[in-house]
Amino acid sequence: VGGEQISSIGRGLCVLLGISLEDTQRELEHMVRKILNLRVFEDESGKHWSKSVMDKQYEVLCVSQFTLQCILKGNKPDYHMAMPTEQAECFYNNFLEQLRKAYKPELIKDGKFGAYMQVHIQNDGPVTIELESPAATVDPKQLTKLEKQQQRKEKTRTKVPSESSRERNVPRNKDDPSASSGAEGDVSSEREP
């Protein structure tokens, strides 16, 4: 973060956590159990898919990554399904707390929520596994319904006074206080994981 290394682990798991609008305490508890008990490591005899991070006493590095909640609208990424920043930060901190309670606190590391980070991962195998809680699994019809609800919410938001078309087409400066933080779906380095 800002050219400074704030966290690192040796062997273990790198968890990229995308927090959805729909996530609750139930999903959080499910994910903590799955992450800590997922058998992705070899045992002492070299048998693959036999041991969990807890079995091996390995470390876990967690990175909050709202971009995992991306829905493509044509070629443009849309992040409306990501939990808003303030709620997501609370959820993320609770997630870390639950991981530390269920395992060894000194073996759970994290990045800096909401910061622009350079994350270096040496993916052994490479093995990458997507985990979703059962309640988070949404069928395509339901997703379409959620998208329509979100679009209706967007249309009903208070409109700002009309700007000239010239002003509307000026790119936003990230230092501009009126620029979006990314919570409304804009891509912004201020909200990058």
Side-chain angles (χ1 to χ4, degrees):
V1 176
E4 178 187 347
Q5 181 174 314
I6 63 165
S7 197
S8 68
I9 63 170
R11 270 194 72 108
L13 298 175
C14 180
V15 176
L16 305 176
L17 183 69
I19 305 169
S20 163
L21 279 170
E22 307 296 317
D23 287 335
T24 66
Q25 182 67 28
R26 183 174 169 215
E27 282 81 31
L28 185 148
E29 291 166 359
H30 175 85
M31 296 306 291
V32 166
R33 276 193 312 276
K34 278 294 189 186
I35 288 165
L36 294 177
N37 292 294
L38 187 65
R39 293 184 297 166
V40 292
F41 300 103
E42 65 281 345
D43 65 15
E44 294 71 29
S45 67
K47 182 180 176 195
H48 294 284
W49 315 107
S50 301
K51 298 289 182 177
S52 71
V53 71
M54 288 198 310
D55 294 332
K56 300 292 275 187
Q57 299 295 295
Y58 287 162
E59 296 172 292
V60 179
L61 175 64
C62 300
V63 178
S64 175
Q65 189 164 354
F66 80 97
T67 59
L68 290 170
Q69 294 300 321
C70 174
I71 296 172
L72 289 179
K73 302 281 184 163
N75 291 326
K76 184 180 182 207
D78 182 298
Y79 301 107
H80 286 99
M81 295 307 290
M83 188 178 284
T85 305
E86 287 180 15
Q87 287 175 271
E89 184 171 13
C90 183
F91 190 95
Y92 178 68
N93 289 332
N94 192 10
F95 172 77
L96 291 172
E97 183 180 321
Q98 295 300 316
L99 274 174
R100 289 179 175 126
K101 280 183 184 175
Y103 190 31
K104 295 182 174 182
E106 67 275 10
L107 297 181
I108 305 297
K109 308 290 176 77
D110 68 316
K112 183 175 179 186
F113 185 90
Y116 183 85
M117 292 181 277
Q118 296 291 318
V119 180
H120 300 273
I121 304 170
Q122 184 175 347
N123 196 342
D124 192 9
V127 175
T128 303
I129 297 174
E130 182 178 352
L131 295 177
E132 283 198 33
S133 63
T137 307
V138 179
D139 66 40
K141 291 178 186 175
Q142 183 66 22
L143 186 59
T144 302
K145 182 179 175 182
L146 290 171
E147 287 175 344
K148 286 179 182 175
Q149 288 172 350
Q150 188 61 38
Q151 287 171 352
R152 280 195 296 273
K153 286 179 189 175
E154 289 298 312
K155 287 179 183 176
T156 59
R157 283 191 180 162
T158 308
K159 304 280 186 198
V160 294
S162 182
E163 304 171 83
S164 73
S165 61
R166 200 171 127 221
E167 289 175 342
R168 270 192 301 244
N169 293 330
V170 173
R172 290 182 182 186
N173 179 338
K174 75 174 189 173
D175 297 325
D176 178 4
S178 67
S180 172
S181 67
E184 290 82 58
D186 293 341
V187 179
S188 171
S189 63
E190 294 173 1
R191 182 122 188 269
E192 275 297 311

